[in-house]
């Protein structure tokens, strides 16, 4: 079907009211249809590592039950596979499930950059590197959409923290915006054309993402050629008229008829044109036509998808340490299995991505089924934060009697979740104490980690093996056993740096800002870009990961295909005794630059599987963007002339072979000379990173307005802002009562913490999601908060 032509035909038959009605949702998960024109009410719902379809009560925080489906490893894990083909197959499985459940679009993937290791939602994102994030997201999107099911690339953009996520103003310079925070979205859009892009909650340089024409129209549509719809994150809409003008097509969830009436009123008073509504309505009709199209029934089931989930988990795991080749374990060894996570795994994150798994295994059962001689003890309790000494002593006693001790540890749910950020990189003290106690009595101690983001490891040098599973999904137990026993050779590489300390992070002094704003003073210096530039030692570098075999790099050949287009080839030899896969990473370093740049940047990678003794050749293409920086004066991607090093390695810190290429530049770096000559904090960054007010403002290009706290309150003010006013105290009491009632049957401290924090940080306008509050009553509540009692009461009546 020619969707554009069909939509244009239907547009001619529609009233203005019908067009406006399509620009907001019918309910929490469904869009409005128009029966007389054959437009159905289609469903869009949560992902991204499984389908979260709620058959009963609806919410966007994962509180209510959803249908059983396959829970794949989260993005923090799958990014470590560096395997787009694997992500494509995972995407196909997600698409098949959507088809079987009559879901038109799954909300994901999330491609936000891991600015800080503290972000509570990092488990749902791919990487600190925009190139890797974009490649993996594009592959997942292509897989899902191959089943004629839509995706929603999220959260666009600069949404890198959970603290005050619905109102905070992310203040970021244009180079960092383009090179770091938008580049992953750009790659996913230009390579995969997701059906939808989800606009985030936050402001970007003073303007809400949903109303940011520069972000939504000028960049997304005009520069990148996006032809789908932009949908708001749930409850993100601030000003529906401004949003339509900016190019934000669909408000979710629906807010009664308020938004529709606002749009129609704006047309009548001349502040919004019919043409602007038509643009959004046309795109909405095209989207609905695609979404309602009948798809072939899928042949694969949850059982087949579970097999794939196991494969994804094994290929995504990262072997961090293997001293004295303690792994793989000998099947005849007497093995102590210690830690509750061995039986009660943490396999996914909390919040809107929480999946109801069709199956769920664990490492203890998988090891036992493999015939390993194992004995188990709990070591700690996941339901308690206390160090339970008697459990540690029992673990010591068991470990002392065994050949090998495997400790399962990590971050429990309440340590990282949607809705709040972490405050530390530490695991629970009960986990750390247990590992140290076991390592004291068993020289062959192995730690298996289940977590969604980096941690510090004070016990690292006391144990022989560390296997990082991240959040490995429903089949993570079997995958763990496969790797520990050597049935599968680990091949994953870290998609993010594990710093030695939280204070080492470049954003540490500026994250998460305050409740009104956050300054991205570190600019482009994120993750390994920063650590490598300032020569800061880390626990484990970006791109790092071990194998049960070894690889040699040789015969690097650079072929110039066209100006700025190079074909890079090199040979990889498996020099060990086991078959295995190696991930070759290609970084680019500019030898001499007049603008500040990171030491090196990932610009390509290739994964190759080799039998023992086998040699194979990998090929990676580099184009103009591989050498370019974003020039804020030219408003374009530009290339400096000079010599560039092409660095091929096993991680950002392990470069094996290199070669130089010489480029003729465009000379446009001269446009930045006056601005950059005084940016010493950026030209020669320090550790710890310190950026002066003056230099940040100069790079930012404007002086941020002072953060406004207190009166006058607005609909963007949060319940936390007004909690000391009379109406605020009343509302807080009502909200707490409602939360207690809602959470009465929820035996989950993480859910309770997430909901309570979200409630205090939610803007007053978001109350419309719950129903019963329209714009007039909202204005009344705001008036009361500002002490305007008569106006407030009048609007509430």
């Amino acid at each position: 079907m020619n969707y554009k032509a069909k939509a244009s035909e239907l547009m001619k038959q529609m009233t203005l009211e019908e067009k406006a009605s399509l620009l907001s949702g019918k309910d929490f998960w469904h869009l409005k249809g128009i029966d007389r024109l054959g437009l159905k009410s289609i469903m869009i719902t949560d992902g991204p590592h499984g389908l979260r379809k709620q058959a009963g009560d609806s919410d966007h925080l994962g509180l209510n039950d959803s249908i059983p489906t396959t829970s794949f490893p989260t993005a923090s894990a799958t990014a470590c596979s560096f395997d787009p083909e694997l992500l494509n197959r995972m995407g196909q499985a997600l698409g098949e499930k959507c088809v079987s459940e009559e879901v038109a679009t799954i909300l994901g993937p999330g491609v936000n950059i891991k600015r800080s290791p503290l972000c509570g939602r990092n488990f749902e994102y791919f990487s600190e590197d925009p190139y890797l994030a974009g490649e993996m997201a594009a592959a997942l999107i292509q897989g899902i959409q191959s089943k004629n099911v839509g995706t929603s690339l999220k959260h666009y953009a600069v949404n890198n923290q959970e603290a005050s996520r619905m109102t905070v103003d992310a203040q970021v310079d244009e180079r960092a915006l383009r090179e770091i925070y938008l580049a992953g979205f750009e790659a996913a859009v230009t390579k995969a054309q997701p059906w939808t892009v989800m606009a985030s909650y936050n402001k970007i340089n003073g303007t809400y993402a949903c109303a940011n024409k520069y972000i939504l129209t000028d960049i997304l549509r005009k520069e990148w050629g996006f032809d789908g719809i932009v949908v708001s994150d749930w409850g993100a809409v601030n000003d529906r008229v401004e949003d339509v003008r900016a190019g934000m097509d669909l408000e979710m969830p629906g807010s009664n008829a308020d938004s529709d009436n606002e749009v129609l009123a704006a047309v009548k008073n001349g502040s919004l044109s019919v043409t602007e509504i038509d643009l959004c309505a046309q795109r909405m009709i095209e989207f609905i036509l695609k979404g309602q199209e009948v798809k072939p029934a899928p042949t694969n089931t949850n059982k087949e998808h579970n097999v794939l989930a196991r494969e994804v988990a094994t290929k995504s795991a990262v072997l961090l340490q293997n001293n004295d080749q303690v792994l793989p374990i000998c099947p005849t060894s007497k093995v102590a299995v210690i830690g509750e996570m061995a039986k009660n795994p943490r396999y996914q994150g909390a919040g809107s991505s929480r999946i109801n798994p069709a199956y769920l295994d664990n490492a203890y059962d998988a090891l036992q089924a493999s015939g390993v001689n194992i004995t188990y003890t709990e070591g700690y309790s996941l339901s308690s934060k206390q160090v339970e000494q008697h459990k540690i002593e029992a673990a010591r006693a068991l470990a002392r009697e065994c050949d090998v001790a495997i400790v399962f540890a990590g971050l429990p749910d309440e340590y990282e979740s949607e809705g709040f950020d972490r405050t530390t990189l530490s695991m629970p003290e009960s986990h750390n104490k247990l590992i140290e106690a076991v390592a004291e009595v068993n020289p062959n101690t192995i730690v298996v980690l289940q977590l969604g983001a980096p941690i510090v490891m004070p016990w690292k040098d006391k144990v022989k093996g560390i296997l990082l599973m991240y959040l490995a999904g429903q089949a993570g137990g079997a995958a763990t056993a496969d790797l520990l026993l050597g049935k599968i050779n680990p091949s994953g590489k870290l998609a993010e740096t594990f710093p030695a300390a939280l204070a080492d992070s470049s954003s540490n002094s500026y994250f998460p800002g305050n409740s009104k704003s956050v300054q991205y003073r570190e600019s482009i210096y994120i993750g390994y870009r920063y650590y490598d530039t300032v020569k800061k030692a880390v626990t484990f570098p970006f791109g790092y990961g071990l194998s049960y075999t070894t690889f040699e790099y040789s015969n690097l050949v650079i072929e110039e295909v066209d100006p700025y287009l190079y074909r890079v080839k090199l040979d990889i030899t498996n020099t060990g005794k086991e078959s295995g896969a190696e991930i070759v990473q290609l970084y680019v370093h500019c030898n001499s630059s007049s603008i500040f740049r990171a030491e090196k940047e990932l610009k390509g990678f290739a994964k190759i599987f080799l039998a023992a003794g086998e040699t194979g050749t990998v090929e990676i293409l580099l184009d103009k963007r591989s050498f370019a920086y974003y020039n804020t004066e030219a408003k374009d991607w530009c290339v400096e002339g000079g010599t560039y090093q092409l660095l091929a390695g096993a991680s950002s810190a392990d470069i094996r072979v290199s070669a130089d290429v010489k480029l003729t530049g465009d000379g446009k770096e001269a446009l930045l000379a006056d601005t950059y000559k005084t940016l010493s904090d950026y030209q020669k960054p320090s550790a710890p990173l310190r950026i002066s007010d003056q230099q940040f403002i100069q790079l930012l290009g404007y002086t941020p307005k002072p953060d406004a706290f207190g009166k006058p309150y607005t609909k963007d003010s949060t319940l936390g802002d007004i909690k000391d006013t009379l109406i605020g105290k009343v509302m807080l009491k009502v909200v707490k009562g409602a939360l207690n009632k809602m959470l009465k049957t929820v035996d989950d401290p993480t859910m309770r913490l997430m909901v309570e924090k979200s409630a205090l940080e939610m803007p007053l306008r978001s109350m419309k999601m719950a129903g019963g509050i329209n714009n007039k009553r909202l204005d009344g509540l705001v008036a009361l908060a500002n002490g305007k009692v008569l106006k407030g009461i009048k609007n509430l009546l």
Side-chain angles (χ1 to χ4, degrees), residues 423-497:
T423 57
T424 175
L425 295 185
S426 297
M427 291 197 304
E429 193 64 11
S430 58
H431 294 225
N432 286 327
K433 294 285 188 185
L434 174 65
I435 294 169
E436 291 178 350
V438 170
E440 282 180 0
V441 299
N442 191 310
N444 296 317
T445 297
I446 299 159
V447 177
V448 176
L449 293 171
Q450 299 173 5
L451 42 77
I455 56 168
V456 290
M457 304 178 193
W459 37 261
K460 172 180 173 290
D461 295 334
K462 300 175 184 178
V463 304
K464 281 191 177 177
I466 305 174
L467 178 63
L468 173 63
M469 295 304 298
Y470 272 105
L471 302 180
Q474 67 182 41
T480 302
D482 289 341
L483 294 159
L484 292 174
L485 295 170
K487 294 178 182 179
I488 302 291
N489 192 345
S491 62
K493 303 269 190 172
L494 289 178
E496 60 189 327
T497 305

Side-chain angles (χ1 to χ4, degrees), residues 556 558 564 566 586-595 597-601 603 622-629 638-647 658-667 669:
L556 177 64
I558 312 296
Y564 302 131
Y566 292 89
L586 186 61
Y587 298 86
V588 173
H589 165 76
C590 181
N591 282 357
S592 179
S593 177
S594 63
I595 63 169
R597 301 182 80 147
E599 173 68 15
K600 66 175 78 75
E601 295 180 313
K603 296 301 178 182
L622 298 179
D623 58 17
K624 181 179 178 181
R625 276 292 290 272
S626 304
F627 305 96
Y629 68 96
C638 298
V639 176
E640 281 187 284
T643 302
Y644 291 77
Q645 277 187 299
L646 308 186
L647 311 166
S658 65
D660 291 350
V661 295
K662 193 167 185 178
L663 301 183
T664 301
D666 49 38
E669 62 273 12

Side-chain angles (χ1 to χ4, degrees), residues 18-79:
E18 287 174 324
K19 293 174 185 176
S21 74
L22 295 180
L23 309 190
S24 62
K26 175 182 178 181
D27 54 30
F28 220 85
W29 300 121
H30 294 86
L31 276 59
K32 296 170 187 167
I34 301 177
D35 291 340
R36 72 179 186 85
L37 297 177
L39 294 176
K40 299 179 180 178
S41 173
I42 61 174
M43 185 178 197
I44 58 179
T45 194
D46 277 325
H49 60 272
L51 179 65
R52 190 177 79 92
K53 178 185 177 183
Q54 293 176 310
D57 292 339
S58 300
D59 69 84
H60 66 299
L61 294 174
L63 298 176
N64 293 300
D65 290 338
S66 57
I67 62 162
T69 188
T70 305
S71 179
F72 287 95
T74 63
S76 60
T78 58

Side-chain angles (χ1 to χ4, degrees), residues 80-96:
C80 297
S81 72
F82 280 73
D83 192 339
E85 186 274 335
L86 182 69
L87 268 287
N88 186 286
R89 289 196 285 129
M90 175 178 152
Q92 290 181 46
L94 292 171
E96 288 167 351

Side-chain angles (χ1 to χ4, degrees), residues 325-338 367 372-376 395 398-408 438 441-448 464-465 484-485:
Q325 287 74 54
V326 69
L327 286 170
I329 61 175
C330 176
T332 59
S333 296
K334 186 177 181 182
V335 179
V337 174
I338 302 169
L367 287 168
V372 182
N373 179 13
I374 62 174
T375 306
Y376 169 80
L398 175 60
R400 190 180 286 113
E401 298 172 357
C402 294
D403 302 316
V404 177
I406 307 175
V407 181
F408 288 78
V438 170
V441 299
N442 191 310
N444 296 317
T445 297
I446 299 159
V447 177
V448 176
K464 281 191 177 177
L484 292 174
L485 295 170

Side-chain angles (χ1 to χ4, degrees), residues 88 91-92 135 137-147 151 191-192:
N88 186 286
Q92 290 181 46
E135 292 296 306
L140 188 68
I141 291 167
Q142 288 167 340
I144 294 170
Q145 294 189 171
S146 70
K147 302 301 178 181
T151 56
K191 292 183 178 186

Side-chain angles (χ1 to χ4, degrees), residues 651-674:
S651 79
S652 65
D654 184 10
I655 302 304
R656 304 291 183 86
V657 292
S658 65
D660 291 350
V661 295
K662 193 167 185 178
L663 301 183
T664 301
D666 49 38
K668 292 183 179 179
E669 62 273 12
L671 298 173
L672 300 171
D674 289 343

